Amino acid sequence: MDSWLEWARGPLFRFALAVMLLGLLRLVVLNVLGLVSLTRRARDKRIPTRVVLRETARWLFPFNRVPKHQLVFTLVSVVFDICVIVVPILLGAHIMLWQRGFGVGWVALHQGWADALTVVAIVTAIVLFARRVSTPLTRSLSRAQDYVLPLLIASSFVTGFLAMHPALNPFSYDPTMLVHVLNSNLILIAIPFSKLSHMVLFPITQLVSELGWHLAPSGGQDVAFALGKEGEPV
């Protein structure tokens, strides 16, 4: 079991990290090239940078952009995203692995906060999965990854939490940690090929949307006028 753990923490982790970084780099390059091409074809090249930045920031917490009946789901999604990003990056045990493997480190999250956010991540992942299964509309729009990813992430958080709290763990440490590491590596590999890539590509989304209205001069303003939305951001 020790050899399996060392392999999962060592070569397999480095492979998964390389796949994630190279995959995300490819997506960023393709999106940037697309933006350059779109900008060249746009007749109106005046891009309101402040508007793009403001709208991007607003869509990070889009509570005033969604219907009232979706506010709870939106809140759960935002909290889930925050936990999935913050806990793996700021967990002290993970930072120690980075220090041992790459010689770099940063300030760790307090363990109590890490535990609380881990529990929140597990609960929100289950809620998101349950909504996918129980709501006809979301079920009709969902793909396989929409069901697999929340369960995979929840499993990674559950096994990590149990490994950190032996008194609560009904299983032995090594199998729990092996499942945790394998799950986490699989998530890293899946990031560039799934919806998880939006964590990196999201800042580009609003710029693409804005550029889409600039293929003809004053195109966005004309559409806004036709819809009676003058003065509102596109």
Side-chain angles (χ1 to χ4, degrees), residues 171-232:
F171 311 103
S172 56
Y173 174 83
D174 285 350
T176 303
M177 180 55 67
L178 180 60
V179 173
H180 173 69
V181 177
L182 290 176
N183 267 7
S184 302
N185 287 335
L186 185 56
I187 292 171
L188 291 179
I189 293 173
I191 286 175
F193 309 103
S194 68
K195 290 183 177 180
L196 295 176
S197 61
H198 80 278
M199 293 183 293
V200 174
L201 299 178
F202 177 79
I204 303 176
T205 304
Q206 192 62 39
L207 181 56
V208 172
S209 176
E210 180 66 36
L211 283 173
W213 297 105
H214 288 249
L215 293 180
S218 304
Q221 290 81 354
D222 293 340
V223 172
F225 176 79
L227 297 176
K229 301 289 186 179
E230 294 176 273
E232 298 184 20

Short mmCIF file of all heavy atoms in Angstrom, two decimals, residues 171-232:
data_model
loop_
_atom_site.label_atom_id
_atom_site.label_comp_id
_atom_site.label_asym_id
_atom_site.label_seq_id
_atom_site.Cartn_x
_atom_site.Cartn_y
_atom_site.Cartn_z
N PHE A 171 -12.41 3.51 8.31
CA PHE A 171 -11.48 2.73 7.51
C PHE A 171 -10.05 3.03 7.96
O PHE A 171 -9.80 4.00 8.67
CB PHE A 171 -11.64 3.05 6.02
CG PHE A 171 -13.07 3.02 5.55
CD1 PHE A 171 -13.76 4.21 5.34
CD2 PHE A 171 -13.72 1.82 5.34
CE1 PHE A 171 -15.08 4.20 4.90
CE2 PHE A 171 -15.04 1.80 4.91
CZ PHE A 171 -15.72 2.99 4.70
N SER A 172 -9.12 2.22 7.52
CA SER A 172 -7.72 2.48 7.85
C SER A 172 -7.20 3.65 7.01
O SER A 172 -7.77 3.99 5.96
CB SER A 172 -6.86 1.24 7.60
OG SER A 172 -7.00 0.80 6.26
N TYR A 173 -6.10 4.24 7.48
CA TYR A 173 -5.62 5.48 6.88
C TYR A 173 -5.16 5.30 5.43
O TYR A 173 -5.56 6.07 4.54
CB TYR A 173 -4.47 6.04 7.72
CG TYR A 173 -3.80 7.24 7.09
CD1 TYR A 173 -4.34 8.52 7.25
CD2 TYR A 173 -2.62 7.10 6.35
CE1 TYR A 173 -3.73 9.63 6.68
CE2 TYR A 173 -2.01 8.20 5.78
CZ TYR A 173 -2.57 9.46 5.94
OH TYR A 173 -1.97 10.55 5.36
N ASP A 174 -4.35 4.28 5.18
CA ASP A 174 -3.73 4.14 3.86
C ASP A 174 -4.75 3.98 2.73
O ASP A 174 -4.66 4.68 1.71
CB ASP A 174 -2.74 2.98 3.85
CG ASP A 174 -1.44 3.32 4.57
OD1 ASP A 174 -1.25 4.52 4.90
OD2 ASP A 174 -0.62 2.42 4.80
N PRO A 175 -5.75 3.09 2.84
CA PRO A 175 -6.75 3.00 1.76
C PRO A 175 -7.53 4.29 1.58
O PRO A 175 -7.84 4.69 0.44
CB PRO A 175 -7.66 1.86 2.22
CG PRO A 175 -6.84 1.05 3.14
CD PRO A 175 -5.95 2.04 3.85
N THR A 176 -7.85 4.96 2.69
CA THR A 176 -8.58 6.23 2.59
C THR A 176 -7.76 7.27 1.85
O THR A 176 -8.26 7.96 0.95
CB THR A 176 -8.92 6.76 3.99
OG1 THR A 176 -9.68 5.78 4.71
CG2 THR A 176 -9.72 8.05 3.91
N MET A 177 -6.49 7.37 2.21
CA MET A 177 -5.62 8.34 1.56
C MET A 177 -5.38 8.00 0.10
O MET A 177 -5.32 8.88 -0.77
CB MET A 177 -4.29 8.44 2.30
CG MET A 177 -3.31 9.45 1.70
SD MET A 177 -4.00 11.12 1.53
CE MET A 177 -4.21 11.59 3.26
N LEU A 178 -5.28 6.71 -0.22
CA LEU A 178 -5.07 6.31 -1.61
C LEU A 178 -6.28 6.72 -2.47
O LEU A 178 -6.10 7.25 -3.57
CB LEU A 178 -4.84 4.80 -1.71
CG LEU A 178 -4.62 4.25 -3.12
CD1 LEU A 178 -3.39 4.90 -3.75
CD2 LEU A 178 -4.48 2.73 -3.09
N VAL A 179 -7.49 6.47 -1.96
CA VAL A 179 -8.70 6.87 -2.70
C VAL A 179 -8.73 8.39 -2.85
O VAL A 179 -9.07 8.91 -3.93
CB VAL A 179 -9.96 6.37 -1.98
CG1 VAL A 179 -11.22 6.94 -2.65
CG2 VAL A 179 -10.01 4.86 -1.99
N HIS A 180 -8.34 9.10 -1.80
CA HIS A 180 -8.33 10.57 -1.85
C HIS A 180 -7.37 11.07 -2.92
O HIS A 180 -7.73 11.94 -3.73
CB HIS A 180 -7.93 11.12 -0.48
CG HIS A 180 -7.73 12.61 -0.48
ND1 HIS A 180 -8.77 13.51 -0.63
CD2 HIS A 180 -6.59 13.36 -0.34
CE1 HIS A 180 -8.29 14.74 -0.59
NE2 HIS A 180 -6.98 14.69 -0.43
N VAL A 181 -6.17 10.54 -2.94
CA VAL A 181 -5.16 11.00 -3.89
C VAL A 181 -5.56 10.63 -5.33
O VAL A 181 -5.43 11.45 -6.25
CB VAL A 181 -3.78 10.42 -3.55
CG1 VAL A 181 -2.74 10.83 -4.59
CG2 VAL A 181 -3.33 10.88 -2.17
N LEU A 182 -6.07 9.41 -5.53
CA LEU A 182 -6.49 9.00 -6.86
C LEU A 182 -7.65 9.87 -7.35
O LEU A 182 -7.67 10.30 -8.52
CB LEU A 182 -6.89 7.52 -6.86
CG LEU A 182 -5.76 6.51 -6.67
CD1 LEU A 182 -6.32 5.10 -6.57
CD2 LEU A 182 -4.75 6.60 -7.80
N ASN A 183 -8.62 10.13 -6.47
CA ASN A 183 -9.73 11.01 -6.83
C ASN A 183 -9.25 12.40 -7.22
O ASN A 183 -9.69 12.98 -8.22
CB ASN A 183 -10.70 11.14 -5.65
CG ASN A 183 -11.83 10.14 -5.71
OD1 ASN A 183 -11.85 9.26 -6.56
ND2 ASN A 183 -12.78 10.26 -4.81
N SER A 184 -8.35 12.92 -6.41
CA SER A 184 -7.85 14.28 -6.65
C SER A 184 -7.07 14.35 -7.96
O SER A 184 -7.20 15.32 -8.72
CB SER A 184 -6.96 14.71 -5.48
OG SER A 184 -7.68 14.68 -4.26
N ASN A 185 -6.27 13.34 -8.25
CA ASN A 185 -5.54 13.32 -9.52
C ASN A 185 -6.49 13.25 -10.70
O ASN A 185 -6.28 13.90 -11.73
CB ASN A 185 -4.59 12.12 -9.55
CG ASN A 185 -3.38 12.31 -8.65
OD1 ASN A 185 -2.99 13.44 -8.35
ND2 ASN A 185 -2.78 11.22 -8.21
N LEU A 186 -7.54 12.47 -10.55
CA LEU A 186 -8.53 12.36 -11.62
C LEU A 186 -9.23 13.70 -11.86
O LEU A 186 -9.50 14.08 -13.01
CB LEU A 186 -9.57 11.28 -11.28
CG LEU A 186 -10.61 10.96 -12.35
CD1 LEU A 186 -9.94 10.56 -13.65
CD2 LEU A 186 -11.54 9.85 -11.86
N ILE A 187 -9.50 14.43 -10.79
CA ILE A 187 -10.11 15.75 -10.92
C ILE A 187 -9.17 16.70 -11.67
O ILE A 187 -9.60 17.46 -12.55
CB ILE A 187 -10.48 16.33 -9.54
CG1 ILE A 187 -11.61 15.52 -8.92
CG2 ILE A 187 -10.89 17.80 -9.65
CD1 ILE A 187 -11.89 15.85 -7.47
N LEU A 188 -7.89 16.67 -11.33
CA LEU A 188 -6.91 17.52 -12.03
C LEU A 188 -6.91 17.22 -13.52
O LEU A 188 -6.89 18.14 -14.35
CB LEU A 188 -5.52 17.30 -11.44
CG LEU A 188 -5.27 17.80 -10.01
CD1 LEU A 188 -3.84 17.47 -9.59
CD2 LEU A 188 -5.51 19.29 -9.90
N ILE A 189 -6.92 15.94 -13.87
CA ILE A 189 -6.91 15.56 -15.28
C ILE A 189 -8.19 16.00 -15.97
O ILE A 189 -8.19 16.40 -17.14
CB ILE A 189 -6.72 14.03 -15.41
CG1 ILE A 189 -5.31 13.63 -14.93
CG2 ILE A 189 -6.92 13.57 -16.85
CD1 ILE A 189 -5.09 12.14 -14.86
N ALA A 190 -9.31 15.97 -15.25
CA ALA A 190 -10.60 16.29 -15.85
C ALA A 190 -10.81 17.79 -16.05
O ALA A 190 -11.62 18.19 -16.90
CB ALA A 190 -11.73 15.74 -14.97
N ILE A 191 -10.09 18.63 -15.32
CA ILE A 191 -10.34 20.07 -15.35
C ILE A 191 -10.32 20.65 -16.76
O ILE A 191 -11.26 21.35 -17.16
CB ILE A 191 -9.36 20.81 -14.43
CG1 ILE A 191 -9.75 20.59 -12.96
CG2 ILE A 191 -9.34 22.31 -14.73
CD1 ILE A 191 -8.78 21.18 -11.96
N PRO A 192 -9.30 20.41 -17.58
CA PRO A 192 -9.29 21.04 -18.91
C PRO A 192 -10.34 20.49 -19.87
O PRO A 192 -10.60 21.09 -20.91
CB PRO A 192 -7.88 20.74 -19.45
CG PRO A 192 -7.10 20.23 -18.29
CD PRO A 192 -8.08 19.62 -17.36
N PHE A 193 -10.92 19.33 -19.54
CA PHE A 193 -11.84 18.66 -20.45
C PHE A 193 -13.28 18.69 -19.96
O PHE A 193 -14.13 17.97 -20.48
CB PHE A 193 -11.40 17.20 -20.65
CG PHE A 193 -9.95 17.06 -21.01
CD1 PHE A 193 -9.02 16.65 -20.07
CD2 PHE A 193 -9.52 17.35 -22.30
CE1 PHE A 193 -7.68 16.52 -20.40
CE2 PHE A 193 -8.18 17.22 -22.64
CZ PHE A 193 -7.26 16.81 -21.69
N SER A 194 -13.56 19.52 -18.97
CA SER A 194 -14.89 19.55 -18.38
C SER A 194 -15.28 20.99 -18.05
O SER A 194 -14.52 21.93 -18.30
CB SER A 194 -14.93 18.69 -17.11
OG SER A 194 -14.13 19.29 -16.09
N LYS A 195 -16.46 21.13 -17.46
CA LYS A 195 -16.93 22.45 -17.07
C LYS A 195 -16.07 23.10 -15.99
O LYS A 195 -16.18 24.31 -15.76
CB LYS A 195 -18.38 22.35 -16.57
CG LYS A 195 -19.39 22.05 -17.66
CD LYS A 195 -20.80 22.03 -17.11
CE LYS A 195 -21.83 21.81 -18.21
NZ LYS A 195 -23.22 21.80 -17.68
N LEU A 196 -15.22 22.31 -15.35
CA LEU A 196 -14.35 22.88 -14.32
C LEU A 196 -13.37 23.90 -14.90
O LEU A 196 -12.83 24.72 -14.18
CB LEU A 196 -13.57 21.76 -13.62
CG LEU A 196 -14.41 20.77 -12.80
CD1 LEU A 196 -13.52 19.66 -12.25
CD2 LEU A 196 -15.14 21.46 -11.67
N SER A 197 -13.16 23.85 -16.20
CA SER A 197 -12.24 24.79 -16.84
C SER A 197 -12.75 26.22 -16.77
O SER A 197 -11.98 27.17 -16.99
CB SER A 197 -12.00 24.40 -18.31
OG SER A 197 -13.22 24.44 -19.03
N HIS A 198 -14.04 26.40 -16.45
CA HIS A 198 -14.58 27.76 -16.38
C HIS A 198 -13.91 28.57 -15.29
O HIS A 198 -13.96 29.81 -15.32
CB HIS A 198 -16.10 27.74 -16.16
CG HIS A 198 -16.51 27.50 -14.74
ND1 HIS A 198 -16.58 26.24 -14.19
CD2 HIS A 198 -16.85 28.36 -13.75
CE1 HIS A 198 -16.95 26.34 -12.92
NE2 HIS A 198 -17.14 27.61 -12.63
N MET A 199 -13.28 27.91 -14.32
CA MET A 199 -12.58 28.62 -13.26
C MET A 199 -11.45 29.48 -13.83
O MET A 199 -11.12 30.53 -13.28
CB MET A 199 -12.02 27.64 -12.23
CG MET A 199 -13.07 26.89 -11.44
SD MET A 199 -12.37 25.80 -10.18
CE MET A 199 -11.55 24.56 -11.20
N VAL A 200 -10.86 29.03 -14.94
CA VAL A 200 -9.78 29.78 -15.58
C VAL A 200 -10.31 30.64 -16.73
O VAL A 200 -9.86 31.77 -16.92
CB VAL A 200 -8.70 28.81 -16.10
CG1 VAL A 200 -7.65 29.55 -16.92
CG2 VAL A 200 -8.05 28.07 -14.95
N LEU A 201 -11.27 30.11 -17.48
CA LEU A 201 -11.74 30.79 -18.68
C LEU A 201 -12.81 31.85 -18.39
O LEU A 201 -13.11 32.65 -19.28
CB LEU A 201 -12.32 29.76 -19.66
CG LEU A 201 -11.35 28.70 -20.16
CD1 LEU A 201 -12.07 27.74 -21.10
CD2 LEU A 201 -10.16 29.33 -20.86
N PHE A 202 -13.37 31.87 -17.20
CA PHE A 202 -14.46 32.78 -16.91
C PHE A 202 -14.13 34.24 -17.20
O PHE A 202 -14.98 34.95 -17.78
CB PHE A 202 -14.91 32.65 -15.45
CG PHE A 202 -15.98 33.62 -15.06
CD1 PHE A 202 -17.30 33.40 -15.42
CD2 PHE A 202 -15.67 34.78 -14.36
CE1 PHE A 202 -18.30 34.31 -15.08
CE2 PHE A 202 -16.65 35.69 -14.02
CZ PHE A 202 -17.97 35.45 -14.37
N PRO A 203 -12.95 34.77 -16.84
CA PRO A 203 -12.68 36.19 -17.12
C PRO A 203 -12.76 36.54 -18.61
O PRO A 203 -12.99 37.70 -18.96
CB PRO A 203 -11.25 36.39 -16.59
CG PRO A 203 -11.09 35.33 -15.55
CD PRO A 203 -11.85 34.15 -16.08
N ILE A 204 -12.57 35.55 -19.49
CA ILE A 204 -12.62 35.83 -20.93
C ILE A 204 -14.05 35.88 -21.44
O ILE A 204 -14.34 36.51 -22.47
CB ILE A 204 -11.81 34.74 -21.69
CG1 ILE A 204 -10.37 34.69 -21.19
CG2 ILE A 204 -11.82 34.99 -23.19
CD1 ILE A 204 -9.54 33.59 -21.82
N THR A 205 -14.97 35.25 -20.72
CA THR A 205 -16.33 35.08 -21.21
C THR A 205 -17.02 36.41 -21.50
O THR A 205 -17.62 36.60 -22.56
CB THR A 205 -17.17 34.29 -20.20
OG1 THR A 205 -16.53 33.05 -19.93
CG2 THR A 205 -18.56 34.04 -20.72
N GLN A 206 -16.93 37.35 -20.56
CA GLN A 206 -17.61 38.62 -20.74
C GLN A 206 -17.01 39.42 -21.89
O GLN A 206 -17.74 40.12 -22.61
CB GLN A 206 -17.55 39.44 -19.44
CG GLN A 206 -18.45 40.66 -19.42
CD GLN A 206 -19.92 40.29 -19.55
OE1 GLN A 206 -20.36 39.31 -18.99
NE2 GLN A 206 -20.67 41.08 -20.29
N LEU A 207 -15.70 39.30 -22.08
CA LEU A 207 -15.06 40.01 -23.19
C LEU A 207 -15.53 39.46 -24.52
O LEU A 207 -15.78 40.21 -25.46
CB LEU A 207 -13.54 39.89 -23.06
CG LEU A 207 -12.71 40.61 -24.14
CD1 LEU A 207 -13.06 42.09 -24.19
CD2 LEU A 207 -11.22 40.42 -23.87
N VAL A 208 -15.66 38.13 -24.62
CA VAL A 208 -16.19 37.51 -25.84
C VAL A 208 -17.60 38.01 -26.11
O VAL A 208 -17.97 38.35 -27.25
CB VAL A 208 -16.17 35.98 -25.73
CG1 VAL A 208 -16.89 35.34 -26.92
CG2 VAL A 208 -14.74 35.47 -25.66
N SER A 209 -18.42 38.06 -25.06
CA SER A 209 -19.80 38.53 -25.20
C SER A 209 -19.84 39.97 -25.69
O SER A 209 -20.63 40.33 -26.57
CB SER A 209 -20.53 38.40 -23.86
OG SER A 209 -21.83 38.93 -23.95
N GLU A 210 -18.97 40.80 -25.13
CA GLU A 210 -18.94 42.20 -25.53
C GLU A 210 -18.47 42.35 -26.97
O GLU A 210 -19.06 43.11 -27.76
CB GLU A 210 -18.00 42.98 -24.60
CG GLU A 210 -17.87 44.46 -24.91
CD GLU A 210 -19.16 45.23 -24.70
OE1 GLU A 210 -19.91 44.90 -23.76
OE2 GLU A 210 -19.43 46.16 -25.49
N LEU A 211 -17.43 41.61 -27.36
CA LEU A 211 -16.91 41.71 -28.72
C LEU A 211 -17.94 41.25 -29.75
O LEU A 211 -17.94 41.70 -30.89
CB LEU A 211 -15.63 40.88 -28.85
CG LEU A 211 -14.37 41.50 -28.25
CD1 LEU A 211 -13.21 40.50 -28.30
CD2 LEU A 211 -13.99 42.77 -29.00
N GLY A 212 -18.79 40.32 -29.34
CA GLY A 212 -19.80 39.81 -30.26
C GLY A 212 -20.73 40.90 -30.78
O GLY A 212 -21.30 40.78 -31.87
N TRP A 213 -20.90 41.99 -30.00
CA TRP A 213 -21.78 43.08 -30.42
C TRP A 213 -21.04 44.11 -31.28
O TRP A 213 -21.64 45.07 -31.74
CB TRP A 213 -22.35 43.79 -29.20
CG TRP A 213 -23.21 42.91 -28.37
CD1 TRP A 213 -22.89 42.34 -27.16
CD2 TRP A 213 -24.54 42.47 -28.66
NE1 TRP A 213 -23.91 41.58 -26.70
CE2 TRP A 213 -24.95 41.64 -27.60
CE3 TRP A 213 -25.41 42.69 -29.72
CZ2 TRP A 213 -26.20 41.03 -27.56
CZ3 TRP A 213 -26.66 42.10 -29.69
CH2 TRP A 213 -27.04 41.28 -28.62
N HIS A 214 -19.76 43.89 -31.50
CA HIS A 214 -18.96 44.91 -32.19
C HIS A 214 -18.60 44.51 -33.61
O HIS A 214 -17.74 45.11 -34.23
CB HIS A 214 -17.67 45.20 -31.41
CG HIS A 214 -17.90 45.97 -30.15
ND1 HIS A 214 -17.49 47.27 -29.96
CD2 HIS A 214 -18.53 45.62 -29.00
CE1 HIS A 214 -17.84 47.68 -28.76
NE2 HIS A 214 -18.46 46.70 -28.14
N LEU A 215 -19.23 43.45 -34.13
CA LEU A 215 -18.94 43.05 -35.50
C LEU A 215 -19.48 44.07 -36.49
O LEU A 215 -19.05 44.14 -37.63
CB LEU A 215 -19.54 41.67 -35.79
CG LEU A 215 -18.89 40.53 -35.00
CD1 LEU A 215 -19.55 39.20 -35.36
CD2 LEU A 215 -17.39 40.45 -35.28
N ALA A 216 -20.44 44.87 -36.07
CA ALA A 216 -20.92 46.00 -36.87
C ALA A 216 -20.91 47.24 -36.00
O ALA A 216 -21.12 47.14 -34.79
CB ALA A 216 -22.33 45.72 -37.39
N PRO A 217 -20.62 48.41 -36.57
CA PRO A 217 -20.59 49.63 -35.75
C PRO A 217 -21.90 49.86 -35.00
O PRO A 217 -22.98 49.75 -35.59
CB PRO A 217 -20.34 50.73 -36.80
CG PRO A 217 -19.70 50.04 -37.95
CD PRO A 217 -20.31 48.67 -37.97
N SER A 218 -21.78 50.13 -33.73
CA SER A 218 -22.95 50.42 -32.88
C SER A 218 -23.96 49.28 -32.85
O SER A 218 -25.14 49.49 -32.57
CB SER A 218 -23.65 51.71 -33.34
OG SER A 218 -22.75 52.79 -33.35
N GLY A 219 -23.50 48.05 -33.12
CA GLY A 219 -24.41 46.90 -33.15
C GLY A 219 -25.08 46.69 -31.81
O GLY A 219 -26.29 46.46 -31.73
N GLY A 220 -24.30 46.75 -30.73
CA GLY A 220 -24.87 46.54 -29.40
C GLY A 220 -25.90 47.59 -29.04
O GLY A 220 -26.97 47.27 -28.51
N GLN A 221 -25.59 48.86 -29.38
CA GLN A 221 -26.52 49.92 -29.07
C GLN A 221 -27.82 49.78 -29.87
O GLN A 221 -28.92 50.07 -29.37
CB GLN A 221 -25.87 51.28 -29.36
CG GLN A 221 -24.75 51.65 -28.39
CD GLN A 221 -23.44 50.99 -28.73
OE1 GLN A 221 -23.38 50.15 -29.64
NE2 GLN A 221 -22.39 51.34 -28.00
N ASP A 222 -27.70 49.35 -31.13
CA ASP A 222 -28.89 49.18 -31.96
C ASP A 222 -29.79 48.08 -31.41
O ASP A 222 -31.02 48.22 -31.38
CB ASP A 222 -28.48 48.85 -33.40
CG ASP A 222 -27.79 50.01 -34.09
OD1 ASP A 222 -27.95 51.15 -33.61
OD2 ASP A 222 -27.08 49.77 -35.08
N VAL A 223 -29.18 46.98 -30.97
CA VAL A 223 -29.96 45.88 -30.40
C VAL A 223 -30.62 46.34 -29.11
O VAL A 223 -31.80 46.05 -28.84
CB VAL A 223 -29.07 44.65 -30.16
CG1 VAL A 223 -29.84 43.58 -29.40
CG2 VAL A 223 -28.57 44.10 -31.49
N ALA A 224 -29.85 47.06 -28.26
CA ALA A 224 -30.41 47.55 -27.00
C ALA A 224 -31.59 48.48 -27.26
O ALA A 224 -32.61 48.43 -26.55
CB ALA A 224 -29.33 48.27 -26.20
N PHE A 225 -31.48 49.33 -28.29
CA PHE A 225 -32.58 50.23 -28.63
C PHE A 225 -33.80 49.45 -29.08
O PHE A 225 -34.94 49.75 -28.69
CB PHE A 225 -32.13 51.20 -29.73
CG PHE A 225 -33.23 52.11 -30.22
CD1 PHE A 225 -33.60 53.23 -29.49
CD2 PHE A 225 -33.90 51.84 -31.41
CE1 PHE A 225 -34.61 54.05 -29.93
CE2 PHE A 225 -34.91 52.67 -31.86
CZ PHE A 225 -35.27 53.78 -31.11
N ALA A 226 -33.57 48.42 -29.91
CA ALA A 226 -34.68 47.61 -30.41
C ALA A 226 -35.40 46.87 -29.28
O ALA A 226 -36.61 46.66 -29.33
CB ALA A 226 -34.18 46.62 -31.45
N LEU A 227 -34.64 46.51 -28.25
CA LEU A 227 -35.22 45.77 -27.13
C LEU A 227 -35.71 46.68 -26.02
O LEU A 227 -36.23 46.20 -25.01
CB LEU A 227 -34.19 44.79 -26.56
CG LEU A 227 -33.71 43.67 -27.50
CD1 LEU A 227 -32.61 42.85 -26.83
CD2 LEU A 227 -34.88 42.76 -27.89
N GLY A 228 -35.51 47.98 -26.18
CA GLY A 228 -35.90 48.89 -25.13
C GLY A 228 -35.00 48.82 -23.91
O GLY A 228 -35.44 49.06 -22.78
N LYS A 229 -33.71 48.48 -24.13
CA LYS A 229 -32.75 48.31 -23.03
C LYS A 229 -31.64 49.35 -23.10
O LYS A 229 -30.50 49.07 -22.72
CB LYS A 229 -32.15 46.91 -23.08
CG LYS A 229 -33.16 45.77 -22.98
CD LYS A 229 -33.73 45.66 -21.60
CE LYS A 229 -34.63 44.44 -21.46
NZ LYS A 229 -35.19 44.28 -20.10
N GLU A 230 -31.94 50.52 -23.62
CA GLU A 230 -30.92 51.56 -23.75
C GLU A 230 -30.32 51.90 -22.39
O GLU A 230 -31.01 52.03 -21.40
CB GLU A 230 -31.52 52.81 -24.38
CG GLU A 230 -31.98 52.61 -25.83
CD GLU A 230 -32.66 53.85 -26.36
OE1 GLU A 230 -33.88 53.98 -26.17
OE2 GLU A 230 -31.97 54.68 -26.96
N GLY A 231 -28.99 52.08 -22.39
CA GLY A 231 -28.30 52.46 -21.16
C GLY A 231 -27.97 51.30 -20.25
O GLY A 231 -27.29 51.48 -19.24
N GLU A 232 -28.45 50.10 -20.58
CA GLU A 232 -28.14 48.93 -19.78
C GLU A 232 -26.98 48.17 -20.39
O GLU A 232 -26.83 48.13 -21.62
CB GLU A 232 -29.36 48.00 -19.68
CG GLU A 232 -30.55 48.64 -19.01
CD GLU A 232 -31.71 47.69 -18.84
OE1 GLU A 232 -31.46 46.46 -18.89
OE2 GLU A 232 -32.85 48.14 -18.65
#
